[in-house]
Amino acid sequence: SPTTTRRIFKRNVFQRHLSSSQQSDHYWMPFTDNVTFKQRPKLLHRANGVHYYLEDDTRILDGMSGLWCVNAGHGQPKINEAIKSQLDKLDFAPSFNTSHPLPFQFADKLLKLLPEGAFKEVFFTMCGSTAVDTALKIALAYHKACGNDEKVRFIGRERGYHGVGFGGIGVGGIPLNRKAFTGNMLPFLDHIVHTHSIPDMAFSRGLPKWGVHLAEDLERVIQLHGAASIAAVVIEPVAGSTGVLVPPVGYLERIREICTKHDIMLVFDEVITGFGRVGSSFATVEFGVTPDIITCAKGLTNGVVPAGAVICHPRIFQSIQEAAHRSPGTQIEFFHGYTYSGHPLAMAAGLATLEVYEEQKVFENVKALSPFFEELLHSKIKGLPYVVDIRNCGFMAAVEVEPIEGWLTKRFIYGVMMMM
């Protein structure tokens, strides 16, 4: 029964208790069943390379790179030393009407990872969620600066994940993430269909050959609301949190064409796909499709210090700046920012992270090893009981198993028990 299986699962997996000195009911854990976790908690104590270690030194493979963020592995000495050195020099500096050198240096380095001339300005935030909400505000500010005040609607995609801000939840398309806040979404939203269909693309290697026609759903939504009302389309090049939904061949190119045709900004959420995950610096580079705005975070600092960034096409800041300075005198171009925008420790970590990626050839290694990873997935896992699909792109992959009616995670729990 489900109850018996849960008991077995807890006994085998959650074996370690907090000591009496560690027990606490005060920490509210995010995206967690707090009651179940605190009954049988398992705490990570240190990390190195691609592994975590428990208090008793049990080693755990970090197969998700933390939360898609430790792209170069844990404990990189260059990153750690950069943070320590910066802490002794400048621990904090405000970014409102003043700054310090590192954000300017980091912005320059980031732009070198992208097609020359395609992007110009970088706005630093605190994480992926704040990067997405910032991108939405930038899109609105751009259209207003261009005299298109009526362009206020955002188009997301079903099964998309764009963080936990109200803007990100709004353009996101994962039902459980939206359900609790349905009554307080942004007012002008819509979504196009997702690109996943097991009957048509199961066990595709890399980009599926079926599905480019799904991009035409954007035309349907545009016809429904009118292009003059739509500010931006926000999508992940490869949807990560919803189960690695790889774009069909030609799909992103068609989305780009439609947005250009109707003067709608295209935002690529590369919080997960950025910094080598799909084989190049960004999915923008890997797929050869250039959006108007890129959001990134996670691998931006190798997950060591929280940070996010919004990378913009040259015309965006230029238009906003020119509109703000049509009147004489000092003008704030964009009424938005965070206390921790361009934080010295985050910028130091980010600069060192980019050096690690380059020196250790992280992006090149992903591209070289991706075919091996793909072959391993499809040769060793395809054909196993209950496996209904395998999806992969670069070092992103998902194995989908047939659910059991009445308890969607039951198959997964049995799988974990069998491996112990």
Side-chain angles (χ1 to χ4, degrees), residues 231-245:
V233 172
V234 185
I235 59 174
E236 301 161 278
V238 181
S241 299
T242 192
V244 185
L245 306 187

Side-chain angles (χ1 to χ4, degrees), residues 17 27 71 95 111 170 213 227 244 249 398 410 419:
H17 294 266
Y27 175 39
N71 293 21
S95 291
L111 292 177
H213 65 282
V244 185
V249 173
K410 187 174 184 178
M419 290 187 293

Side-chain angles (χ1 to χ4, degrees), residues 52-107:
Y52 284 112
Y53 294 84
L54 303 180
E55 188 174 17
D56 63 2
D57 234 25
T58 298
R59 190 173 69 174
I60 299 174
L61 178 66
D62 182 12
M64 272 193 64
S65 299
L67 283 174
W68 305 91
C69 56
V70 190
N71 293 21
H74 299 276
Q76 286 284 351
K78 173 164 281 193
I79 301 173
N80 294 348
E81 289 304 318
I83 296 168
K84 294 174 186 176
S85 176
Q86 183 59 43
L87 186 59
D88 289 335
K89 182 178 180 181
L90 179 67
D91 57 351
F92 176 81
S95 291
F96 300 176
N97 293 302
T98 186
S99 191
H100 59 102
L102 296 188
F104 298 93
Q105 297 171 18
F106 194 20

Side-chain angles (χ1 to χ4, degrees), residues 91-133:
D91 57 351
F92 176 81
S95 291
F96 300 176
N97 293 302
T98 186
S99 191
H100 59 102
L102 296 188
F104 298 93
Q105 297 171 18
F106 194 20
D108 289 345
K109 294 283 188 180
L110 281 173
L111 292 177
K112 291 178 180 178
L113 299 178
L114 290 157
E116 185 176 357
F119 301 91
K120 188 178 179 183
E121 276 78 27
V122 180
F123 192 105
F124 289 111
T125 71
M126 300 179 296
C127 60
S129 293
T130 51
V132 169
D133 278 19

